[in-house]
Amino acid sequence: MTQMAIEMPGMMMAPVEWTPGYTLMIFIMWWVMMIAMMVPSAAPTVLFYAALARKNNNSNKPYAAVSIFLSGYLLVWGLFSLAATAGQWSLVSIGQMSGMMELTQAPLAGALLLAAGLYQVSPLKQACLRHCQHPV
């Protein structure tokens, strides 16, 4: 689609009506994308939890506990995906985002890039990394 947009710059994607089906499709897109990106980085923690659950003599079903642990992780990313879907719908409905998921206003795009850059050098990011890299 991007190549087609480059070759035909005058052709814009028609606005899409946010029906319940389309909204569900966008939510699934966000959720699958977040799972694909975030579960591999959580795999060491999940495997560590599984090892602890197997060694725990009080647990008859260690994989049930791991399944619940991973389900909670997926639920959190599902909630994030719900928020991302609502944010995308909001931006599209007020004309700040195109059907190609591009921000249409330079000041908003610049502010978003600035916020992402500031986060990269913030103490919050360092604290999160310290906690996530050493969960014990």
Side-chain angles (χ1 to χ4, degrees):
M1 281 207 121
T2 303
Q3 183 63 32
M4 190 171 76
I6 292 170
E7 291 172 0
M8 298 181 277
M11 300 289 288
M12 290 296 291
M13 188 170 163
V16 177
E17 182 182 341
W18 280 70
T19 63
Y22 183 75
T23 304
L24 178 63
M25 183 179 68
I26 294 296
F27 168 76
I28 291 171
M29 180 268 313
W30 275 108
W31 200 17
V32 168
M33 182 173 58
M34 296 314 300
I35 290 170
M37 289 190 307
M38 301 310 289
V39 169
S41 65
T45 303
V46 173
L47 292 173
F48 178 68
Y49 185 77
L52 288 176
R54 275 194 313 269
K55 289 181 182 180
N56 185 358
N57 293 333
N58 297 333
S59 177
N60 294 335
K61 298 178 183 177
Y63 296 111
V66 174
S67 297
I68 292 169
F69 178 75
L70 187 57
S71 296
Y73 188 76
L74 298 177
L75 177 66
V76 168
W77 284 116
L79 294 173
F80 172 84
S81 300
L82 190 62
T85 301
Q88 183 177 344
W89 173 77
S90 298
L91 289 171
V92 169
S93 68
I94 62 172
Q96 297 294 310
M97 182 180 278
S98 73
M100 295 290 289
M101 290 181 63
E102 298 172 325
L103 294 176
T104 59
Q105 302 297 319
L108 178 61
L112 185 61
L113 282 173
L114 185 62
L118 289 173
Y119 172 75
Q120 292 298 317
V121 297
S122 73
L124 175 63
K125 179 184 175 188
Q126 295 308 315
C128 290
L129 283 176
R130 260 191 319 278
H131 182 72
C132 290
Q133 289 172 347
H134 306 288
V136 177

